[in-house]
Amino acid sequence: MRKVLIARGIQLILVVLGLSTLVFFLLRLSGDPALVVAGPDATPEQIAAIYAKYGFDKSLIEQYLRFLLGLVTLDFGRSFLTGEDALSLVVSRIPASASLALVAISFAVLVAIPLGISAATRPGTIRARVAQGIALFGQSIPSFVLGIVLILLFAVRYPIFPSFGNEEPLSIVLPAITLSSFIMARQLRLVQAYAIEEDRQGYVRTARSLGYSGLRVRYRHILRNVLVPLVSLLAIELGTVIGGAVVTEAVFAWPGLGRTMVGAVTARDYPVVQASVMLIGIFVVLVNLAVDLLYRRIDPRLRAETSV
């Protein structure tokens, strides 16, 4: 356990340094933010004042060292557009993105696990065909197309769910289904593939020969071994969904982190972009740490390897 924590601590430091360097210099190549802040009709004196205010008149190395100092103290500066503290602005968007991601992933898991295991242990049945259809559909249709179709059906034609924002509890239903479609398809294929492999193992045949019910064999024995690769996939998806649900958030006007990042990148709002990327990077590393610890809870073999 201690080795895992030390390794992840070192990884977190390296990720922070790497991301900070990459984001800082890439943003400087994207254009002059002073022109965005000052507007197209700004005078040279106004632009010079903005350079002095935000430190753009310093050398690139001085700006980078100043940025690293702010990173240590979690001070990313203020948004060029709104004047708000960049970190506070980004943190205020995390609950919306996190709630959308968790609902989407939970919905995908609740469908993918039982359907994938059932399709693997009962090939050729209607459930197996439904599983193949869902996997194909989820990986084929673009999320923005699915989102628009859901809005037309369940917000316009049949006004059951709200089509934008997050003011109402049911507002999360359509964006969560849209976001979960591709996640569900990948999870379904993974669960089905690993469940087919586990179903051929000797311990499964032994359990059935002892008279165990099919339900117990599937969810007490097969599922336990399928959970290890599934948890790994979930960790990757949770990290990417938090900061990558840009299209879904744009279609449904969901006030999350992805939508905020797109606006900040377009406006060259350096502080907001830097704060967003850094928080997402740290979150991904922490999620990977939680997954490593969860592995050892699920699979006793990993606990044995750690103790050796």
Side-chain angles (χ1 to χ4, degrees):
M1 184 71 69
R2 183 179 299 176
K3 293 181 180 178
V4 174
L5 294 176
I6 293 175
R8 289 306 183 189
I10 295 174
Q11 182 181 3
L12 178 61
I13 295 174
L14 294 177
V15 166
V16 170
L17 288 176
L19 277 178
S20 62
T21 303
L22 185 64
V23 171
F24 177 86
F25 288 103
L26 285 180
L27 283 175
R28 266 61 185 179
L29 295 175
S30 64
D32 190 350
L35 298 178
V36 178
V37 177
D41 300 326
T43 63
E45 292 77 14
Q46 291 174 321
I47 294 178
I50 292 174
Y51 266 79
K53 178 180 179 180
Y54 293 106
F56 296 142
D57 55 341
K58 309 294 183 185
S59 67
L60 197 59
I61 298 300
E62 288 181 273
Q63 293 182 48
Y64 179 62
L65 293 176
R66 181 181 176 185
F67 166 67
L68 289 181
L69 181 61
L71 179 62
V72 173
T73 59
L74 295 180
D75 181 12
F76 294 93
R78 294 191 169 274
S79 169
F80 295 159
L81 299 180
T82 66
E84 299 177 65
D85 179 71
L87 183 60
S88 300
L89 177 63
V90 171
V91 170
S92 68
R93 300 294 189 270
I94 290 180
S97 290
S99 61
L100 178 59
L102 290 175
V103 172
I105 290 178
S106 299
F107 177 72
V109 169
L110 291 175
V111 175
I113 288 180
L115 193 57
I117 291 181
S118 179
T121 55
R122 295 179 179 178
T125 62
I126 295 178
R127 291 183 181 181
R129 294 190 182 95
V130 170
Q132 292 175 353
I134 292 176
L136 179 62
F137 177 82
Q139 291 185 310
S140 301
I141 185 169
S143 58
F144 71 90
V145 174
L146 179 59
I148 293 173
V149 170
L150 291 177
I151 290 175
L152 292 176
L153 285 177
F154 299 107
V156 179
R157 183 68 177 86
Y158 304 101
I160 302 174
F161 303 108
S163 60
F164 62 90
N166 65 340
E167 289 78 15
E168 302 179 31
L170 293 179
S171 299
I172 200 171
V173 174
L174 296 184
I177 293 175
T178 302
L179 188 59
S180 69
S181 61
F182 184 74
I183 301 173
M184 184 192 304
R186 291 206 301 181
Q187 291 176 355
L188 184 55
R189 291 178 65 88
L190 183 141
V191 169
Q192 186 175 1
Y194 276 90
I196 290 175
E197 183 178 345
E198 294 297 325
D199 191 50
R200 298 169 181 168
Q201 301 300 317
Y203 74 90
V204 175
R205 292 194 297 269
T206 301
R208 287 178 176 149
S209 66
L210 292 175
Y212 291 157
S213 66
L215 193 64
R216 179 174 180 177
V217 171
R218 290 196 295 270
Y219 294 100
R220 180 72 181 272
H221 300 282
I222 294 178
L223 178 59
R224 187 177 182 87
N225 290 302
V226 172
L227 281 179
V228 174
L230 180 62
V231 167
S232 178
L233 178 61
L234 287 175
I236 297 173
E237 288 173 341
L238 183 59
T240 55
V241 166
I242 287 290
V246 176
V247 175
T248 301
E249 291 184 1
V251 170
F252 292 94
W254 189 263
L257 182 56
R259 190 178 177 209
T260 300
M261 285 184 62
V262 172
V265 170
T266 304
R268 299 191 186 96
D269 196 346
Y270 289 0
V272 175
V273 176
Q274 291 168 167
S276 301
V277 173
M278 297 309 302
L279 283 185
I280 292 174
I282 293 173
F283 174 78
V284 170
V285 175
L286 294 178
V287 168
N288 287 331
L289 172 60
V291 169
D292 282 344
L293 300 178
L294 187 58
Y295 277 167
R296 285 154 178 79
R297 182 69 177 174
I298 296 174
D299 194 338
R301 295 170 296 181
L302 295 177
R303 292 200 298 268
E305 291 176 3
T306 305
S307 61
V308 173

